[in-house]
Amino acid sequence: MAAPQHFFHDSMGSILAIALAMSASTALACTRILWNTNGVLAVAGRTMDWAESTEPRLYVFPKGMRRDGGRVGPIDIGDQNPLTWTSRYGSVVVSAYGLASVDGLNEKGLAMHLLFLTATDYGPRNPEKAGLQAGLWGQYLLDNAATVEEALERMKDVQPIMVEHAGFKSSLHLAIEDASGDSAIIEYVDGQPKIYHGSEHRVVTNDPPYDEQLLELEKWDFANATRQTPLPGNVNPIDRFVRANYFLKTLRKPEGEREAIATTLSLARNASVPFNAPYKTPGTIYDTEYRTVVNLDSRRYFFELTTSPNVIWVNLEDLALSPGSPVLQLNPDDIHLSGNVNKEFTPVAEPPF
């Protein structure tokens, strides 16, 4: 049963509802692709597909920031054992609605990607575990872990909490990877965490749960593939999962970062949802809003907004990340932005979360 809801009006006059509900009535389409087999560098890409603008902003967070996993923006969700922490590492992230980090990279080369999962069930609240509103799940790991192994260890005593904004619940699963090429997919299904850990876990989409995605892949034989090899071509998550796995297997060794990033972007674009493509029911759409690619070795973060299609990037190693450094923000919705945008960020008076 859902807990009581709390409401407030933000500065834009909209209503934020926070509910500790255990089901989701909406879905979105996202894809994460990890290329850790090329022998040159570890690189990962993702698509963000959503029914409306998530108002994405790029933020640079220094280390030494205090965070509260029991809050969504200014709202206290009333958890009896909220997780609080001080960040050990700096990061660059993409926010959603100014309330959550949904994608990002930290200074140690750990990256995270939050994707929707309809079956998500974080289970009854266990007060013995610290509560973490799910929109800060990925940020918590970027703030505190240098590797996938360390991130998984950090999650043992933490429980994500379902929250809601603008009618969308945080029914999420998480993909993480590090500079060594290690990878993990973390899901909560039927109230229990399910962890798929290993460098072989390279592609994941939003639905269904990951074990079912792997079973679907067993139906396909990509040996001796040619252009006549049949592939699913629609935008549903299983089709995108199969296509991304197929094309990932065909890649040749890149000559360097430029080719590796371009190659990963090409796979992400192939797994993207075109504007106005029909989704689960007639009249519903979940267009690809943006794509990201991370160079885990060089700590470089690439971003491509589909309505302002220039690729921009952030060199995390060239930014001030020491405690006390300013939080920086960049609105990527600017057709004039292109290439390295380190100098385009501006300080913010108050961190968004």
Side-chain angles (χ1 to χ4, degrees):
M1 184 173 70
Q5 293 183 335
H6 308 276
F7 300 92
F8 82 99
H9 293 272
D10 66 15
S11 60
M12 299 300 292
S14 64
I15 296 177
L16 172 64
I18 301 173
L20 307 186
M22 290 299 130
S23 63
S25 58
T26 57
L28 73 158
C30 297
T31 305
R32 176 269 211 162
I33 302 164
L34 170 63
W35 191 17
N36 56 2
T37 57
N38 58 53
V40 177
L41 73 163
V43 58
R46 73 87 53 86
T47 66
M48 167 58 84
D49 314 326
W50 198 245
E52 62 183 26
S53 173
T54 63
E55 304 166 18
R57 300 291 186 271
L58 274 68
Y59 282 96
V60 173
F61 292 127
K63 64 187 74 175
M65 292 189 64
R66 290 283 298 164
R67 300 197 199 276
D68 187 341
R71 303 184 71 85
V72 180
I75 293 298
D76 188 330
I77 65 176
D79 189 68
Q80 58 186 304
N81 182 23
L83 178 69
T84 60
W85 70 93
T86 300
S87 61
R88 299 170 61 199
Y89 306 119
S91 60
V92 56
V93 305
V94 182
S95 67
Y97 300 110
L99 299 171
S101 299
V102 293
D103 198 82
L105 170 70
N106 76 11
E107 61 181 298
K108 294 297 184 179
L110 178 75
M112 69 85 181
H113 320 275
L114 284 171
L115 289 76
F116 204 87
L117 175 63
T118 303
T120 296
D121 176 0
Y122 301 120
R125 184 71 183 94
N126 179 0
E128 295 182 1
K129 291 191 173 185
L132 174 64
Q133 69 96 346
L136 290 183
W137 183 5
Q139 187 67 59
Y140 168 67
L141 297 182
L142 292 183
D143 285 351
N144 293 288
T147 65
V148 169
E149 287 273 7
E150 188 177 353
L152 295 177
E153 187 66 28
R154 286 273 178 175
M155 285 304 303
K156 288 182 178 180
D157 297 318
V158 174
Q159 182 180 20
I161 299 173
M162 190 80 77
V163 293
E164 180 181 326
H165 172 63
F168 297 100
K169 294 183 176 70
S170 57
S171 300
L172 302 167
H173 56 169
L174 179 69
I176 53 176
E177 66 271 347
D178 64 30
S180 74
D182 197 8
S183 171
I185 312 297
I186 311 171
E187 300 180 340
Y188 287 78
V189 179
D190 296 327
Q192 298 297 321
K194 294 188 176 183
I195 298 172
Y196 306 86
H197 181 201
S199 59
E200 70 273 19
H201 300 298
R202 301 183 182 96
V203 178
V204 63
T205 56
N206 51 292
D207 277 326
Y210 188 59
D211 58 349
E212 296 180 37
Q213 295 184 35
L214 294 176
L215 287 174
E216 178 67 24
L217 197 60
E218 293 178 2
K219 302 175 184 178
W220 297 84
D221 181 5
F222 297 144
N224 303 312
T226 70
R227 67 181 185 180
Q228 280 76 39
T229 300
L231 287 175
N234 216 315
V235 299
N236 70 71
I238 283 294
D239 284 12
R240 289 181 282 105
F241 177 73
V242 171
R243 286 205 312 278
N245 272 285
Y246 168 76
F247 287 114
L248 190 59
K249 292 179 181 295
T250 69
L251 301 182
R252 63 177 181 269
K253 182 177 180 179
E255 294 185 359
E257 181 194 49
R258 178 177 175 179
E259 186 174 337
I261 297 301
T263 300
T264 306
L265 267 175
S266 74
L267 267 63
R269 289 166 180 155
N270 184 275
S272 294
V273 179
F275 290 168
N276 304 317
Y279 201 60
K280 293 183 73 173
T281 59
T284 62
I285 58 172
Y286 284 85
D287 302 343
T288 295
E289 182 179 22
Y290 59 80
R291 290 172 280 263
T292 69
V293 177
V294 290
N295 179 338
L296 299 158
D297 297 70
S298 299
R299 301 356 175 212
R300 211 168 349 261
Y301 189 79
F302 296 79
F303 182 94
E304 181 185 49
L305 187 69
T306 55
T307 55
S308 182
N310 293 332
V311 177
I312 61 176
W313 59 85
V314 180
N315 290 335
L316 198 55
E317 293 184 342
D318 296 335
L319 291 167
L321 300 175
S322 59
S325 297
V327 174
L328 304 176
Q329 181 195 65
L330 177 67
N331 183 352
D333 190 9
D334 183 346
I335 194 65
H336 301 292
L337 293 176
S338 182
N340 186 327
V341 293
N342 276 38
K343 295 181 179 180
E344 303 297 329
F345 282 83
T346 57
V348 297
E350 289 290 334
F353 40 81

